[in-house]
């Protein structure tokens, strides 16, 4: 090997690590580096043997990083692995589906001939047979004394393709420092040499050679491969731009703007900027789609899978508890841990179709994964905790003769309370003329398939890039009027609730959806508009499955209100600024902010005019969006009493501001009826 190449390698190994930066090798000795990777399998043994002699230590196992694409063979799908690639340096990405326990394997073995000559034989990691001495190079004899060998840590993992249409697997061998560098469910990129593993020979059996990858480097991707960050261009009316993005989700489905908006909010709910180790509550939202057959539930799941950077799709009709969570498979004397769909969807979305057919015992396995975002393993001597930080979008048909949400879904209250939204899609009661016209127009144009985008809609790739960019944006401290509005809405739901559905998880869900809506509108923080839109979405969702209950608060609209707002069905979406003003006035009225005030409250020196400080701090109260602290509770005499996060002066200032906004909406639009307080 060239002297410049060897000097560059030795300089990088002086600090004690075994990582070689290939980009630096190309700068020092470009021609020698290219020749080295052209025959990597033969050159790596020579290089490690020379380094062992010069460093005066046992033979090292080098790791290579920052390898340019022209020096390796990139495999896009694992089904492309073939025997003609054996010996080539490859790289590909995948999900860690299973992992064996850590073992110790023989790395090299030394032999001494009767003539006194010594011979060191390498034991390839792909071989299952012990290394043999062969013949002596000096005397030609075959009588050797075994002097023992060097050992190395050894582990095998199985990677699975991340594509929805590909289910190929690849076996990867980790040795040395790479052992335990990942856990099941991680999305990783691995590079190494493809080898052929020959099994032990048995009579009357065909030899089946297994292709494995001898890994030389492995690094994790905590989310799917990043796309080009795309920001939507500024628009004169952000609500019309929002409508374009909503209609671009499953563009071939007409009249389902509310479920499309819910899917977008679920995809945007995860905050990638939050430190994973410091999360005090879950960041992912869950969505439940109920409906009659043929209402587009499965199409919405497929649309979510196409838009999500990382998605795992499954059907409950062919899924077991082990398929959702984990399973332990015996591997010789130990056990291999194989993860299910929830852990494989870590950092993305898990779509479950036919959720109704999942047995009751299997549904209980979702409790921990949906709330704690983890799966605890204690089986067959294996005790660990798997990550399941994913959003769940479940779809199922109605249970016959159901009236309430619990009866229509057939799910228990603990499971229902973990879903942020539940939407009921009915085949009757919608605008059938528009749906029929949309289907006929699609069928009339033979060149327009279901995946094409109509004029005025956002391209699928652009929407994918926007979702990735929006999830990586940081939201500042939220507006106090938005916090107070969500608190008032939650309290009103609690007062009218007769069951256990409206737990504090409802407020957490509203906050997550409001943050997701702020990202959708490209706001720097959660504004009053986001809280209004989420409350309206929650009301539409509640009316879809429980229209006769007291929790349906929005019912007072004027005669000039737009038709899609009055219906409160699956097409009732805010399409423009005018629609938003109508919805804002209705929401402020139903929450009790209709008392008209003529003057804006003044704040002098941090105190409310005429009110004094009354012992309250002049510092601004913390927002319920900040730090993910939701509705503190205090226990007195065995009872739990909810405590507001706002001091009385700040509450009065914010409440009067909301009341004056209601006054302006009643004066500028004739769509909201000013009714007396009930």
């Amino acid at each position: 090997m060239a002297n410049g190449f060897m000097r560059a390698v030795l300089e990088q190994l002086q600090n004690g690590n075994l990582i070689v930066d290939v980009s630096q090798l190309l700068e020092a000795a470009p021609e020698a580096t290219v020749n080295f990777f052209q025959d990597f399998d033969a050159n790596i043994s020579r290089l490690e043997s020379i380094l062992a002699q010069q460093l005066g230590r046992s033979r090292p196992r080098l790791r290579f990083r920052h390898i340019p694409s022209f020096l390796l063979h990139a495999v896009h799908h694992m089904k492309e692995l073939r025997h003609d690639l054996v010996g080539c340096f490859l790289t590909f990405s995948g999900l860690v589906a299973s992992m064996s326990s850590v073992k110790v394997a023989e790395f090299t073995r030394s032999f001494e001939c009767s003539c006194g000559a010594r011979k060191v034989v390498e034991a390839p990691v792909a071989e299952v047979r012990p290394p043999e001495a062969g013949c002596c190079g000096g005397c030609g004899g075959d009588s050797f004394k075994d002097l023992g060998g060097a050992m190395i840590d050894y582990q095998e993992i199985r990677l699975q393709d991340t594509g929805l249409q590909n289910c190929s697997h690849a076996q990867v061998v980790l040795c040395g420092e790479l052992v335990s560098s990942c856990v099941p469910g991680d999305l990783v990129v691995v590079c190494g040499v493809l080898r052929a593993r020959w099994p032990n020979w048995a009579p009357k059996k065909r030899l089946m050679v297994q292709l494995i990858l001898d890994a030389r480097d492995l690094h994790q991707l905590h989310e799917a491969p990043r796309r080009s960050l795309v920001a939507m261009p500024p628009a004169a009316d952000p609500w019309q731009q929002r409508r374009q993005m909503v209609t671009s989700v499953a563009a071939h489905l007409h009249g389902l703007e509310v479920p499309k908006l819910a899917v977008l909010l679920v995809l945007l709910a995860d905050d990638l900027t939050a430190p994973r180790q410091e999360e005090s509550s879950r960041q992912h939202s869950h969505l439940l789609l109920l409906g009659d057959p043929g209402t587009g539930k499965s199409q919405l799941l497929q649309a979510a899978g196409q838009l999500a950077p990382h998605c795992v799709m499954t059907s409950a009709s062919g899924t077991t508890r082990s398929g959702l969570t984990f399973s332990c498979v015996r591997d010789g004397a130990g056990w291999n841990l194989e993860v299910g769909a929830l852990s494989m969807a870590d950092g993305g979305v898990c779509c479950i179709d036919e959720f109704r057919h999942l047995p009751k015992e299997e549904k209980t396995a979702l409790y921990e994964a949906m709330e704690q975002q983890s799966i605890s393993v204690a089986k067959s001597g294996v005790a660990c905790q798997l990550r399941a930080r994913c959003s769940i979008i479940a779809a199922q048909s109605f249970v016959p003769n159901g009236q309430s949400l619990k009866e229509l879904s057939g799910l228990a209250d603990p499971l229902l309370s973990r879903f942020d939204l539940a939407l009921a899609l009915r085949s009757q009661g919608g605008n059938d003329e528009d749906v029929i016209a949309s289907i006929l127009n699609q069928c009339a144009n033979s060149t327009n398939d279901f995946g094409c985008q109509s004029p005025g809609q956002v391209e699928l790739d652009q929407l994918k890039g926007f979702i990735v960019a929006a999830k990586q944006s940081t939201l500042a401290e939220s507006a106090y009027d938005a916090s107070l509005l969500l608190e008032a809405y939650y309290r009103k739901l609690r007062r009218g609730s007769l069951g256990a559905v409206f737990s504090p998880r409802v407020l957490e869900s509203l906050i997550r959806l409001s943050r997701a809506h702020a990202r959708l509108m490209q706001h720097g923080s959660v504004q009053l508009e986001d809280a209004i839109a989420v409350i309206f979405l929650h009301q539409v969702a509640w009316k879809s499955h429980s229209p006769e209950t007291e929790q349906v608060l929005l019912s007072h609209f004027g005669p000039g209100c737009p038709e899609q707002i009055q219906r409160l069905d699956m097409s009732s979406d805010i399409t423009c600024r005018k629609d938003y003003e109508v919805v804002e006035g209705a929401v402020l009225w139903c929450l009790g902010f209709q008392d008209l005030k003529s003057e804006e409250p003044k704040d002098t020196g941090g105190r409310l005019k005429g009110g004094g400080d009354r012992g309250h701090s002049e510092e601004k109260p913390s927002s319920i969006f900040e730090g993910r602290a939701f509705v503190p509770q205090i226990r007195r005499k065995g009872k739990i009493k909810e405590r507001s996060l706002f001091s009385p002066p700040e509450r009065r200032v914010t409440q009067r501001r909301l009341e004056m906004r209601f006054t302006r909406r009643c004066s500028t639009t004739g769509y909201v009826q000013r009714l007396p307080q009930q």
Side-chain angles (χ1 to χ4, degrees), residues 166-305:
N166 301 309
C167 57
S168 303
H169 295 81
Q171 202 75 13
V172 180
V173 173
L174 306 180
C175 295
E177 295 181 352
L178 294 180
V179 170
S180 300
S181 58
C182 60
V183 296
D186 283 347
L187 182 64
V188 299
V189 176
V190 61
C191 61
V193 183
L194 188 67
R195 303 186 186 277
R197 172 187 287 173
W198 293 85
N200 291 326
W201 180 82
K204 299 182 179 180
K205 286 188 178 181
R206 178 181 296 179
L207 288 177
M208 304 296 293
V209 180
Q210 181 185 14
L211 297 179
I212 66 169
L213 186 74
D214 182 8
R216 285 291 174 169
D217 186 44
L218 181 146
H219 60 273
Q220 300 183 20
L221 291 176
H222 296 289
E223 63 273 356
R226 298 180 58 179
R227 307 176 188 272
S228 58
L229 302 185
V230 178
M232 302 300 295
D237 189 353
W239 294 99
Q240 292 184 355
Q241 188 180 61
R242 169 184 177 269
R243 175 174 174 79
Q244 293 178 358
M245 289 188 286
V246 169
T247 54
S248 301
V249 179
H252 59 281
L253 297 179
H254 184 81
L256 297 178
E257 284 76 13
V258 173
K260 294 179 182 181
L261 174 61
V263 169
L264 271 182
L265 295 184
V266 168
L267 296 179
L268 291 170
D270 183 23
D271 187 4
L272 297 181
T273 61
R276 296 295 183 182
Q277 65 274 13
E278 298 179 2
E279 292 181 0
S280 58
S281 63
R282 63 180 171 100
Q283 296 294 310
H284 295 78
S285 296
H286 306 309
L287 175 63
L288 177 62
L289 299 175
L290 306 169
D292 296 320
T295 52
K297 303 183 298 299
S298 299
Q299 297 291 329
L300 289 171
L301 292 185
Q302 294 181 6

Side-chain angles (χ1 to χ4, degrees), residues 48 100 130 155 169 216 232 271 278 317 403 424 443 511 527 613 626 634 652-653 672:
E48 291 177 346
S100 67
Q155 190 179 36
H169 295 81
R216 285 291 174 169
M232 302 300 295
D271 187 4
E278 298 179 2
S317 58
Q403 299 297 329
C443 296
I511 294 172
Q527 305 294 330
D613 57 0
E626 197 65 21
I634 53 178
R652 288 194 292 268
V653 172
V672 182

Side-chain angles (χ1 to χ4, degrees), residues 33 213 326 340 395 425 524:
T33 303
L213 186 74
F326 70 93
L425 285 63

Side-chain angles (χ1 to χ4, degrees), residues 253 256 289-299 353-354 356-357 395-400 424-428:
L253 297 179
L256 297 178
L289 299 175
L290 306 169
D292 296 320
T295 52
K297 303 183 298 299
S298 299
Q299 297 291 329
D353 203 359
E354 303 296 340
R356 173 186 167 189
H357 299 289
Q396 70 170 65
S397 57
F398 288 134
V399 175
L425 285 63
R426 303 181 185 273
S427 58
Q428 299 178 355

